[in-house]
Amino acid sequence: MDWNPAVIWLIVALLLGLAELTTGGLVLLALGAAAALTAALAGLGLSLPWQLLGMGLFSGVLVPLAIWVIRPRFSPRGVAYGTTGTGVEKGRTYTTLRRDFDGASGIKINGDFYRLRIAADAEESSGKTDLPPGTRVVFQTFDGTTAIVHLAHSAPDPRARQHTE
């Protein structure tokens, strides 16, 4: 087998494409496509500096295209991935759920289940971790992977949005 630069670029493209299977961010896939296009430049006989320039140009076009145009088409609308735990859910009202396999009481935030604990500043139920399903709670913060909440009052807060995922 002849190990010319075009074959090496195609191997790099294949490895980047396979590495994309572990991330899902489409960046490595865009770099793999850029490497495949660079293999075409190498196949045309261009020297290494032109191949590297081509890889840079192809990457500069394909990576932003993959991030800003293609990746949003694969994400469901209304879900802000990567924002859980940054404080955007603070003050929002959630409805408690009971997890099937162990009966844990918790809430769902952005589709993920979090066990709950009543905040220490709440009334006599401070530290309680078990609430009946359907109880309305207001999220305060995270303590590790536990959602710290307090019971919602009967009159809902007009600023809080109710989330029942």
Side-chain angles (χ1 to χ4, degrees):
M1 177 175 187
D2 185 23
W3 287 95
N4 62 29
V7 172
I8 294 171
W9 281 111
L10 285 175
I11 291 171
V12 168
L14 177 65
L15 291 174
L16 286 167
L18 288 174
E20 174 61 34
L21 295 174
T22 63
T23 64
L26 295 181
V27 173
L28 294 177
L29 187 64
L31 290 174
L37 292 171
T38 304
L41 294 179
L44 293 174
L46 275 78
S47 64
L48 182 62
W50 286 106
Q51 293 172 29
L52 293 175
L53 179 66
M55 178 68 179
L57 290 174
F58 293 140
S59 298
V61 171
L62 293 176
V63 169
L65 180 74
I67 292 172
W68 294 328
V69 177
I70 299 171
R71 185 168 53 183
R73 295 176 191 258
F74 293 103
S75 297
R77 297 213 183 274
V79 177
Y81 290 111
T83 61
T84 303
T86 61
V88 296
E89 20 339 81
K90 184 174 182 162
R92 292 187 181 173
T93 303
Y94 294 91
T95 304
T96 60
L97 305 166
R98 178 99 39 209
R99 193 162 50 187
D100 292 336
F101 69 89
D102 65 353
S105 183
I107 57 175
K108 272 196 171 186
I109 300 175
N110 287 340
D112 295 322
F113 182 87
Y114 295 94
R115 293 182 71 121
L116 62 83
R117 184 172 69 231
I118 304 295
D121 62 338
E123 44 298 328
E124 70 280 345
S125 60
S126 170
K128 188 175 177 181
T129 60
D130 191 30
L131 292 174
T135 305
R136 292 183 35 162
V137 294
V138 177
F139 177 81
Q140 284 184 340
T141 187
F142 282 109
D143 180 18
T145 58
T146 303
I148 308 299
V149 299
H150 64 270
L151 297 174
H153 300 295
S154 59
D157 183 0
R159 295 174 295 151
R161 292 184 286 176
Q162 184 172 1
H163 295 278
T164 57
E165 297 176 15

